[in-house]
Amino acid sequence: MTIDLAVIALYLSGMVALGWWGMRRTRDRSDYLVAGRRLGPFMYAGTMAAVVLGGASTIGGVGLGYTYGLSGAWMVGAIGAGIIALHAFFARRISRLRVYTVAQMLDLRYGGNSRAVSGLVMWGYTFMLTVPSTLAFSTVFSGLFDMHRAVAVILGGAIVVTYSALGGMWSVTLTDMAQFLIKTFGLLLVLTPVAVRHAGGFSGMRESLGPDHFAPFTIGGGTILTYFLIYSLGILIGQDIWQRVFTGRNDATVTGGGLGAGIYCLVYAVAGALIGTAAAVLFPGLDNPDDAFSVIVADTLPTGLAGLVLAAALSAVMSTASGALIACSAVTSTDLMPEVRRLWRRGTGGGNDTGGENGQDAGGGRDGVASNRITTLVLGAGTIGVSLLVDDVVAGLTVAYNILVGGLLVAVLGGLVWKRGTRAGALASMLTGSVTVVATMAAEGMLANEPIYYGLGAALIAYVAVSLATRPTDPAVLAAWQRRVRGGAGPGDGADAGAAAHERPAPGPGDRTSPAAAQEGSG
């Protein structure tokens, strides 16, 4: 126990030290939110894999393997498929936009200002995503130290909030790389083969559990389809994922690193299901399947190595928690707070806010970093508080992705693939999809399959109908958008160039003073 405790303490101290190192590399807002857009392929792949493979993917994935056998790999497999699809079809264009948030992309594509709606939906997703990751600390710590749930959540959450707030994305990237290496060794190279061997190998497990635990569709076709709708599609538009895309140095980094991360996720999915299947052989009848991870670690690994594997689980939990927290901070500071200030100034007679928060990459400086740091601290404290009230890791993740996919998927992907889509159509789809998802979850339950089906269907109908019924997007806006996704922006066309102008009413056709026209003429 003393050795395991020392390993965990060393790991946690290392995360805080890396957070401090990241703070020393953070000079401006671009460094804080997107690591200065300077990551190479290896760091990009590591941090992309780390952010999506968190507590729900690790502890929840093992729990699904415990209950359903190898078909429990479908949830994490759907996440890996989403990463592969994102980087095969969309990531290069997303990276070239050089924005900070999904809401900024929507403004660039449709013109006008829709951040109030899209920002709120994305904020709900990123905030909820931090909750299951923070909650997972209780499962990991209790597995070895018998720590009270509330103490584990507060301790783990406080460490994540500390290093995330210190250096933003640079701190998160450095800690992610350490976490990626630790969980690759601890979970893939140590725990998986040890668990399978203790359970009697593949033949022994099959003999003990029967063929259903090794059938690919035991979990159910409807559940598998829902996983792909929620997680694969959610990966395509998640702020936490896009923010990692924005960190890539160039197209080759984004494509190669992203595809590598997706393949890694598929391997991780199978490993988690195997660990859970082995636990079902060794420890049948657990009341909570999510306890399978901590039980199999404590009972199959020697002292010291158990501490290392629990550190690997902590790595998975912390990487997603910190990534979601930085994403929530970016949405709050970039999309929501400027809207609040603009409405406040309008209400008090101060006029529109046409500048300030929306500077480009080099903007903000130390003042911008300090503001984002405070935002991260406040949001982190809030997520710890909510995590103390929730007790289901997978349920929290499902709610987060339901909100994201039902509210934003149609508007974002529609803007990327359909020129006829309009701002009015996008707003209608966001509102309709979000309300439908929330209402259906209230009626059918948080883990029901219906919310995502109904939400997506309602959002798609609203998007197409309203877009066809309203005037097409200003050609100048579309021209500037196309120029942006081709990577044609010049030095003066950075992350938020002209974004303040989006806060003015949407321009009419041919209005060359539109923000898009301004962007097109700059650079």
Side-chain angles (χ1 to χ4, degrees):
M1 178 66 72
T2 302
I3 296 175
D4 288 332
L5 182 60
V7 171
I8 296 293
L10 181 64
Y11 164 76
L12 296 177
S13 300
M15 293 302 101
V16 175
L18 286 173
W20 181 267
W21 185 21
M23 182 184 70
R24 297 176 63 85
R25 302 189 65 168
T26 302
R27 299 179 298 275
D28 54 39
R29 190 168 179 241
S30 176
D31 285 335
Y32 194 89
L33 295 181
V34 291
R37 308 185 194 272
R38 298 198 298 271
L39 299 191
F42 179 68
M43 292 192 74
Y44 181 92
T47 192
M48 181 62 72
V51 73
V52 297
L53 298 175
S57 298
T58 302
I59 295 167
V62 171
L64 289 173
Y66 182 88
T67 303
Y68 300 105
L70 289 185
S71 70
W74 281 108
M75 184 187 78
V76 182
I79 292 173
I83 291 292
I84 291 173
L86 172 68
H87 289 87
F89 300 110
F90 301 112
R92 291 182 297 278
R93 282 185 284 172
I94 293 170
S95 176
R96 293 168 191 163
L97 293 176
R98 301 191 68 77
V99 295
Y100 292 125
T101 67
V102 175
Q104 288 179 307
M105 167 264 166
L106 292 171
D107 282 359
L108 287 169
R109 165 58 182 83
Y110 294 110
N113 178 20
S114 54
R115 292 188 193 181
V117 177
S118 58
L120 279 173
V121 174
M122 190 61 75
W123 187 92
Y125 158 72
T126 53
F127 186 85
M128 282 302 301
L129 187 61
T130 62
V131 172
S133 299
T134 305
L135 175 64
F137 287 118
S138 63
T139 301
V140 177
F141 281 126
S142 64
L144 190 59
F145 308 121
D146 196 26
M147 186 178 291
H148 189 274
R149 175 180 178 274
V151 176
V153 169
I154 293 171
L155 173 62
I159 293 171
V160 169
V161 172
T162 298
Y163 75 69
S164 300
L166 283 175
M169 186 58 80
W170 267 123
S171 292
V172 170
T173 297
L174 294 172
T175 54
D176 275 357
M177 288 308 302
Q179 291 158 358
F180 172 74
L181 295 173
I182 290 172
K183 69 186 178 186
T184 298
F185 178 76
L187 294 175
L188 297 187
L189 302 181
V190 174
L191 183 58
T192 301
V194 168
V196 171
R197 181 171 60 82
H198 273 74
F202 291 104
S203 59
M205 291 192 295
R206 181 182 290 273
E207 183 177 344
S208 298
L209 299 174
D212 285 349
H213 260 68
F214 292 85
F217 304 111
T218 300
I219 200 170
T223 299
I224 294 171
L225 177 60
T226 301
Y227 283 157
F228 276 88
L229 285 176
I230 293 176
Y231 300 122
S232 297
L233 297 181
I235 288 293
L236 298 180
I237 58 172
Q239 170 66 30
D240 54 321
I241 309 303
W242 279 36
Q243 205 159 337
R244 302 307 171 102
V245 173
F246 299 150
T247 64
R249 181 188 303 156
N250 50 40
D251 285 358
T253 292
V254 169
T255 303
L259 292 176
I263 294 171
Y264 180 90
C265 291
L266 298 181
V267 175
Y268 201 89
V270 175
L274 285 174
I275 294 169
T277 303
V281 174
L282 298 170
F283 314 103
L286 293 178
D287 292 332
N288 184 358
D290 284 346
D291 291 337
F293 177 86
S294 58
V295 170
I296 199 168
V297 169
D299 283 35
T300 62
L301 296 178
T303 300
L305 199 55
L308 178 63
V309 173
L310 283 175
L314 280 175
S315 298
V317 172
M318 288 183 166
S319 58
T320 295
S322 59
L325 181 58
I326 287 297
C328 193
S329 176
V331 171
T332 303
S333 62
T334 304
D335 299 328
L336 298 184
M337 291 307 298
E339 287 298 299
V340 171
R341 281 191 284 269
R342 182 176 67 87
L343 293 174
W344 170 261
R345 291 171 182 172
R346 178 178 293 178
T348 57
N352 288 345
D353 180 11
T354 58
E357 300 297 325
N358 295 317
Q360 58 171 324
D361 280 359
R366 290 295 178 185
D367 291 340
V369 171
S371 175
N372 277 278
R373 190 171 287 141
I374 293 172
T375 301
T376 304
L377 286 171
V378 172
L379 291 170
T383 59
I384 292 173
V386 173
S387 298
L388 295 174
L389 306 176
V390 180
D391 60 3
D392 191 327
V393 173
V394 175
L397 188 68
T398 301
V399 170
Y401 274 92
N402 275 340
I403 293 171
L404 173 70
V405 175
L408 285 181
L409 178 78
V410 171
V412 173
L413 293 191
L416 289 171
V417 303
W418 192 38
K419 292 183 180 180
R420 186 61 181 82
T422 67
R423 177 173 176 266
L427 288 171
S429 75
M430 286 187 270
L431 291 170
T432 304
S434 299
V435 171
T436 302
V437 163
V438 172
T440 310
M441 281 195 297
E444 303 290 338
M446 288 192 301
L447 295 180
N449 292 334
E450 290 83 358
I452 192 63
Y453 297 126
Y454 295 163
L456 276 176
L460 181 60
I461 292 171
Y463 182 70
V464 174
V466 175
S467 291
L468 293 176
T470 53
R471 297 173 63 182
T473 304
D474 180 2
V477 172
L478 286 177
W481 165 259
Q482 290 296 330
R483 178 171 175 268
R484 205 63 175 255
V485 298
R486 289 193 299 265
D493 223 3
D496 259 335
H502 284 287
E503 299 182 2
R504 296 193 292 270
D511 183 359
R512 299 303 294 182
T513 64
S514 71
Q519 292 164 12
E520 189 176 20
S522 65

